[in-house]
Amino acid sequence: MRGSLVIVLSFVVALLLSVMPMPEPVDIGRPMWLAMVVAYWVMALPHRVGLVAAWLAGLATDVLYGDLFGQHGLVMVLVAWLMLLLYQRIRRFPLWQQSLVMIPVLGLAQLLLLWLDSLTGSRPPTLLFLLPALVSAVLWPWVSSVLGALRRRFNVV
């Protein structure tokens, strides 16, 4: 029970960080907090956190942002699915190599989000739309370390 609470609270913190106010010039590179948390828990505990948890977390993001319902759900399912395909290899990598793997995973998520946004009529004009994937990959070692410490501290298995 306590382990489930830790996982849910980490999702809640990621959602709060996703909507935290940031200065306008920095906001374009806002890290993909929820995608990183989903990726970590799917990689660490694939038997507990999977596609359904990712879908629900994405739907919570849609409600929070007021976006098209299911848009972020689909993106989070893509991240979870890619991590489920790769988690046995990625877990063995050092954190800096995991960061390099996270660039294409999160980049594909951003490209899917760009495509879905273009279907609804709002389309960013530049490739700066991929900047959050790069920023998130740089932050991955710290996010992974913090979540790993929480997992060990509260014995989440």
Side-chain angles (χ1 to χ4, degrees):
M1 181 64 187
R2 183 174 56 183
S4 298
L5 186 61
V6 170
I7 293 170
V8 168
L9 285 177
S10 67
F11 282 131
V12 169
V13 168
L15 284 169
L16 290 174
L17 286 172
S18 296
V19 295
M20 182 180 68
M22 293 179 73
E24 189 64 35
V26 180
D27 192 45
I28 194 151
R30 178 183 297 271
M32 301 169 67
W33 296 110
L34 188 62
M36 288 190 290
V37 170
V38 165
Y40 174 80
W41 287 118
V42 168
M43 183 175 63
L45 302 170
H47 59 282
R48 288 192 65 181
V49 180
L51 299 178
V52 173
W55 176 259
L56 293 174
L59 291 181
T61 304
D62 291 330
V63 170
L64 201 58
Y65 285 151
D67 285 339
L68 181 66
F69 197 63
Q71 176 177 345
H72 286 93
L74 184 61
V75 171
M76 290 304 127
V77 165
L78 173 69
V79 170
W81 179 70
L82 289 171
M83 293 309 289
L84 281 170
L85 286 177
L86 301 170
Y87 80 92
Q88 290 178 340
R89 288 182 222 154
I90 295 174
R91 280 200 290 203
R92 301 177 195 277
F93 292 169
L95 286 176
W96 69 270
Q97 284 181 339
Q98 289 180 11
S99 292
L100 294 177
V101 172
M102 293 307 290
I103 292 172
V105 169
L106 298 174
L108 283 172
Q110 280 296 98
L111 287 173
L112 177 60
L113 199 56
L114 172 67
W115 179 67
L116 291 170
D117 279 343
S118 69
L119 289 177
T120 60
S122 59
R123 187 172 168 195
T126 66
L127 282 178
L128 286 177
F129 194 76
L130 292 173
L131 188 60
L134 293 173
V135 172
S136 298
V138 168
L139 292 176
W140 174 255
W142 291 280
V143 171
S144 181
S145 297
V146 167
L147 290 174
L150 281 174
R151 192 176 111 220
R152 285 185 298 278
R153 167 73 173 92
F154 293 104
N155 197 26
V156 180
V157 288

